[in-house]
Amino acid sequence: RADQVPGIALKVYPMRIDAIKRLSLPVIGFCLCATMPAGANEKATAIIEASTNGFIRLAYRALVTSVGDLDDKVVALCAAPSQANLDAARAGFDHAAKTFSYVELIRFGPVTRENRLERLLFWPDRKSIGLKQVQAALADKDEDAADAEKLAGKSVAMQGFGALEFVLFGTDSDDLASAAGNYRCRFGEAIASNIAGMAGDVEAEWA
């Protein structure tokens, strides 16, 4: 497909211009607080609060909803493998990835804790670390990688959108429509659960 990142089958969803413009507000606000005279800090604080309430929290709330839906669809696929459920899981991924594009450039605040930013999207991956690790887990049927709690302690490259896209769209992913894809689906379910958990934690910490 077009817009693939070399080394791993990850779609690149461009940030929408309106989101970028709105995202610039909190960044500008933080800069203002650091550089403006004390008397002007109140206005800068108002900008930060408006941007946080009017964009950041809303964007993360939308992300939580979309990744929760994705998680549900992957769970449904694993419970009842079929082409229809695979198509639904893939569509859920596409929607969640597009929603993530709104918050991807927010590189401050709760998402920077516990390596969440890298765990959600390990990019750039110049040495194809993510692809190699995901392929190895699939080849070895690594049961730790199919457990969401244990996966959270593994390499950041195996935990986010890049890894899940290879599971859902990469080589041999059509096996997910049948029992032949059982391990692959459980691995994908662990990744989706991990993404949903991190998104929920970040949203809660912005509250």
Side-chain angles (χ1 to χ4, degrees):
R1 295 187 306 281
D3 296 328
Q4 286 186 338
V5 174
I8 188 166
L10 174 65
K11 293 179 183 176
V12 179
Y13 294 101
M15 283 287 287
R16 296 183 184 178
I17 298 301
D18 60 337
I20 293 175
K21 289 178 178 177
R22 293 168 71 188
L23 177 59
S24 68
L25 290 175
V27 177
I28 292 171
F30 283 119
C31 292
L32 286 172
C33 278
T35 61
M36 293 181 69
N41 280 348
E42 290 184 6
K43 291 183 179 179
T45 299
I47 293 174
I48 294 171
E49 291 179 352
S51 301
T52 300
N53 294 327
F55 171 61
I56 294 176
R57 286 174 179 154
L58 294 178
Y60 272 111
R61 190 176 306 158
L63 179 63
V64 167
T65 298
S66 66
V67 297
D69 179 66
L70 168 61
D71 189 22
D72 289 344
K73 288 178 176 176
V74 176
V75 169
L77 172 63
C78 295
S82 68
Q83 188 60 51
N85 283 344
L86 175 55
D87 291 343
R90 286 171 169 171
F93 176 89
D94 284 344
H95 178 64
K98 290 174 183 176
T99 306
F100 179 70
S101 73
Y102 281 91
V103 302
E104 185 179 356
L105 293 184
I106 302 174
R107 295 175 177 268
F108 53 86
V111 76
T112 63
R113 301 168 191 158
E114 300 177 7
N115 296 316
R116 288 170 181 153
L117 187 60
E118 293 78 12
R119 289 164 63 199
L120 283 166
L121 181 62
F122 184 70
W123 169 250
D125 185 6
R126 297 185 179 89
K127 296 183 179 180
S128 301
I129 294 172
L131 176 62
K132 292 173 184 176
Q133 292 179 344
V134 170
Q135 288 178 323
L138 290 170
D140 297 340
K141 291 183 169 55
D142 180 0
E143 287 298 330
D144 285 351
D147 180 293
E149 185 174 347
K150 293 179 180 178
L151 178 63
K154 284 183 169 289
S155 166
V156 297
M158 298 175 64
Q159 299 184 37
F161 282 97
L164 185 55
E165 182 169 22
F166 186 82
V167 169
L168 291 175
F169 295 90
T171 305
D172 296 327
S173 60
D174 286 344
D175 288 349
L176 290 167
S178 69
N182 177 266
Y183 171 78
R184 188 182 192 112
C185 199
R186 290 189 293 113
F187 180 23
E189 186 176 343
I191 300 171
S193 176
N194 199 42
I195 292 172
M198 284 188 286
D201 288 344
V202 173
E203 184 203 18
E205 290 175 30
W206 268 112

